[in-house]
């Protein structure tokens, strides 16, 4: 049987940590706001981080602490003192990018495993060997690598742990080292305060002398446009488009579940899902889908295209497999458009508890009596037709209009803590 890679999920808070483990993750990653790249919407202060590590270890799982900031001097000065209580909690590894901080950790805590962050942009086997020579135990490879390049790195570095991203948001700059947010908002992505400027809603205007105050371009290979963002009306930002495309626009999201079997064959040690700020539904669904893909690949079973459809219900900006496969061929199995998308869904609620056969629901989106609901649970998913609902007073209702409404539906107690999606 093939070696099963670790399934590594994001943990934005303790509830999502539990969800990740419930639905099949082997490990999670979290980070202190000051030294990771999630300064906002990050619940892992020291107290919660200690609880997270304890919960992971009590289940035989692992928790890696992200400390992958690219720091200015002020953060270097406080780093060792701030990290000392974190290291005392005995996390399973630190995820780091900055050579200086790595040096400080290796000197102060030589036995602490360090994983090299994707922020370090490792794209070749010589780079992997360099970091291995410094005592690092794992390299998270750049998202810009193709499958064959990953395979060559594995061959050249057989005794180094390798980690690869398989799902989540993609930055428009090299491995996330983007400058847009800092330029527009003075909030540096590499300090953990990215405002996702690449995903704003831009309007495009044709450039001209009167619009941009300069002479329009006449190079046939290049076209100039002006971008306007709704939050900054009248501020027109020039961009250039050439035969390779436009460089300041939204990337599709990474989805590489169809490549899991190949990554297993290569011998990648960890498959990583991005998304510490995403919902518990996102964590549950991605953990469940990629757990199934890994288990099928290890057992030698064929890839199930239904897993692609299961991911369609997540909020996304369209999917791509990124750089893993540079040239798609219709001569081989076409997973891009050949899978059934009939089971598209929307996250509508979470089961809080079940009393006397009625489940109290934390409503997220609208659903109604007569809807087909998918009940998503670690023991397995099932589809039901919703036949009855009650409001907070126990009275029959036909519609749960949206977030903040107290609703109960009939469910067995065994489905406590399930997530609910509406199929359409």
């Amino acid at each position: 049987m093939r070696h099963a890679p670790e399934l590594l999920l994001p943990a934005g808070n303790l509830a999502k940590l539990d969800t990740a483990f419930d639905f099949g993750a082997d490990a999670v990653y979290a980070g202190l706001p000051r030294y990771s790249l999630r300064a906002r919407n990050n619940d892992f202060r020291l107290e919660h981080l200690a609880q997270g590590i304890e919960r992971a270890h009590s289940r035989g799982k692992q928790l890696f602490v992200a400390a992958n900031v690219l720091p200015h001097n002020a953060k270097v000065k406080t780093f060792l003192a701030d990290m000392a209580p974190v290291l005392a909690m005995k996390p399973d590894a630190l995820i780091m990018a900055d050579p200086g901080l790595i040096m400080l950790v290796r000197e102060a805590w030589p036995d602490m495993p360090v994983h090299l962050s994707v922020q370090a942009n490792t794209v070749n086997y010589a780079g992997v060997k360099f970091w291995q020579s410094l005592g690092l135990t794992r390299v998270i490879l750049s998202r810009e690598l193709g499958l064959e390049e990953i395979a060559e790195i594995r061959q050249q570095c057989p005794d180094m742990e390798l980690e690869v991203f398989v799902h989540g948001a993609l930055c428009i700059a090299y491995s996330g080292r983007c400058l847009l947010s800092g330029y527009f908002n003075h909030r540096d992505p590499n300090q953990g305060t990215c405002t996702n400027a690449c995903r704003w809603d831009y309007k495009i205007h044709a450039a001209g002398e009167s619009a941009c105050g300069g002479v329009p371009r006449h190079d046939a290979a290049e076209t100039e446009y002006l971008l306007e963002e709704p939050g900054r009306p009248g501020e027109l930002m020039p961009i250039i488009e050439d035969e390779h495309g436009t460089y300041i626009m939204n990337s599709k999201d990474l989805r590489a579940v169809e490549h899991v079997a190949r990554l297993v064959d290569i011998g990648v040690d960890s498959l990583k899902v991005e998304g510490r700020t995403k919902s518990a539904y996102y964590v549950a669904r991605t953990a469940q889908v990629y757990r199934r893909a890994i288990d099928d690949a290890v057992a030698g079973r064929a890839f199930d295209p239904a897993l692609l459809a299961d991911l369609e219900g997540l909020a996304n900006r369209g999917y791509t497999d990124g750089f893993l496969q540079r040239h798609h061929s219709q001569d081989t199995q076409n997973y891009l458009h050949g899978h059934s998308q009939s089971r598209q869904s929307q996250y509508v609620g979470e089961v809080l508890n079940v009393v006397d056969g009625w489940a109290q629901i934390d409503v997220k989106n609208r659903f109604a009596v007569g809807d087909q609901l998918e009940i998503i649970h670690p023991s397995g998913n099932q589809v039901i037709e919703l036949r009855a609902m009650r409001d907070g007073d126990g009275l029959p209702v036909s519609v749960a209009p949206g977030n903040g409404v107290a609703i109960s539906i009939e469910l067995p107690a065994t489905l406590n803590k399930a997530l609910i999606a509406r199929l359409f």
Side-chain angles (χ1 to χ4, degrees):
M1 183 175 286
R2 302 168 183 167
H3 169 70
E6 166 191 277
L7 177 58
L8 178 57
L9 267 289
N13 57 36
L14 290 172
K16 294 174 191 176
L17 175 147
D18 290 333
T19 299
F21 290 144
D22 288 344
F23 283 86
D26 300 301
V28 298
Y29 59 99
L32 290 174
R34 180 169 170 81
Y35 298 106
S36 76
L37 298 190
R38 290 294 182 273
R40 300 178 298 129
N41 302 319
N42 186 339
D43 197 39
F44 279 102
R45 273 63 179 178
L46 283 175
E47 178 184 355
H48 287 169
L49 189 60
Q51 293 177 39
I53 293 171
E54 182 179 356
R55 289 188 191 185
H57 291 172
S58 70
R59 301 179 67 155
K61 309 285 188 176
Q62 293 187 302
L63 186 148
F64 307 137
V65 172
N68 55 342
V69 68
L70 300 176
H72 292 234
N73 288 334
K75 289 186 179 179
V76 175
K77 294 173 182 175
T78 59
F79 180 73
L80 288 179
D82 288 347
M83 291 303 293
V86 176
L87 273 292
M89 299 172 189
K90 300 189 181 303
D92 295 283
L94 297 181
I95 302 171
M96 306 185 70
D98 182 74
L101 294 190
I102 291 172
M103 177 188 69
L104 294 177
V105 166
R106 297 292 298 143
E107 291 173 349
W109 300 284
D111 295 329
M112 171 53 57
V114 175
H115 296 174
L116 187 71
S117 171
V118 71
Q119 290 288 110
N121 301 336
T122 306
V123 295
N124 60 68
Y125 59 80
V128 173
K129 290 181 177 180
F130 168 78
W131 292 108
Q132 186 175 16
S133 73
L134 296 184
L136 274 66
T137 58
R138 178 184 296 186
V139 169
I140 306 168
L141 295 175
S142 169
R143 291 182 178 96
E144 286 73 27
L145 290 174
L147 289 167
E148 297 310 313
E149 293 174 297
I150 295 170
E152 185 175 6
I153 291 173
R154 172 80 290 164
Q155 292 163 7
Q156 295 286 341
C157 307
D159 54 349
M160 182 62 162
E161 290 186 14
L162 301 178
E163 181 176 306
V164 172
F165 276 91
V166 291
H167 198 92
L170 287 172
C171 294
I172 65 164
Y174 218 84
S175 289
R177 299 183 69 167
C178 180
L179 301 177
L180 288 179
S181 178
Y183 178 76
F184 291 144
N185 295 304
H186 307 292
R187 291 172 63 169
D188 188 351
N190 296 306
Q191 300 300 311
T193 55
C194 182
T195 55
N196 303 120
C198 62
R199 298 168 200 162
W200 294 346
D201 177 21
Y202 292 99
K203 292 181 171 37
I204 299 178
H205 304 274
E209 183 173 355
S210 60
C212 63
V215 179
R217 294 178 180 268
H218 299 289
D219 187 340
E222 292 185 345
T223 305
E224 186 169 13
Y225 297 97
L226 299 171
L227 287 184
E228 182 181 26
E229 197 272 319
R232 295 168 174 75
E235 295 184 25
L236 303 182
M237 299 173 285
I239 61 168
I240 305 299
E241 180 178 271
D242 62 16
E243 69 273 16
H244 301 295
T246 301
Y247 304 102
I248 192 174
M249 301 299 255
N250 191 348
S251 170
K252 292 181 179 180
D253 289 338
L254 175 65
R255 181 191 63 191
V257 67
E258 68 269 33
H259 297 304
V260 165
R262 175 70 174 124
L263 292 166
V264 169
D265 285 340
I266 289 170
V268 170
D269 297 281
S270 178
L271 303 183
K272 186 173 194 172
V273 174
E274 181 276 339
R276 278 183 280 163
T277 61
K278 300 289 183 66
S279 68
Y281 175 63
Y282 172 92
V283 172
R285 184 69 94 178
T286 53
Q288 192 176 61
V289 166
Y290 282 91
R291 177 79 274 153
R292 166 75 184 282
I294 290 171
D295 292 347
D296 284 351
V298 170
R301 293 187 290 266
F303 173 70
D304 182 359
L307 296 179
L308 293 165
D310 287 341
L311 294 170
E312 292 288 345
L314 298 176
N316 65 83
R317 290 175 290 276
Y319 283 124
T320 175
D321 59 357
F323 295 94
L324 288 172
Q325 186 172 328
R326 304 303 176 101
H327 303 289
H328 295 94
S329 171
Q330 302 306 313
D331 297 331
T332 58
Q333 179 67 45
N334 176 19
Y335 292 126
L336 295 180
H337 305 292
H339 67 282
S340 170
Q341 296 186 1
S342 61
R343 293 187 62 213
Q344 296 207 25
S345 60
Q346 181 184 37
Y347 177 37
V348 296
E350 178 180 355
V351 177
L352 299 177
N353 56 62
V354 182
V355 179
D356 296 330
W358 286 87
Q360 181 184 356
I361 308 300
D362 180 9
V363 178
K364 304 296 183 180
N365 286 292
R366 183 187 187 278
F367 62 98
V369 170
D371 283 345
Q372 295 287 312
L373 300 181
E374 183 179 15
I375 311 301
I376 303 162
H377 192 266
S379 63
N381 300 352
Q382 57 181 280
V383 176
I384 65 169
E385 180 179 343
L386 182 60
R387 298 187 179 277
M389 283 195 296
R390 294 177 177 175
D391 64 14
D393 297 320
L395 300 175
V397 292
S398 59
V399 177
N403 189 26
V405 179
I407 291 292
S408 295
I409 68 173
E410 289 185 285
L411 280 180
T414 54
L415 296 180
N416 193 22
K417 301 300 182 182
L419 303 174
I420 302 174
R422 179 174 64 89
L423 302 181
F424 54 91

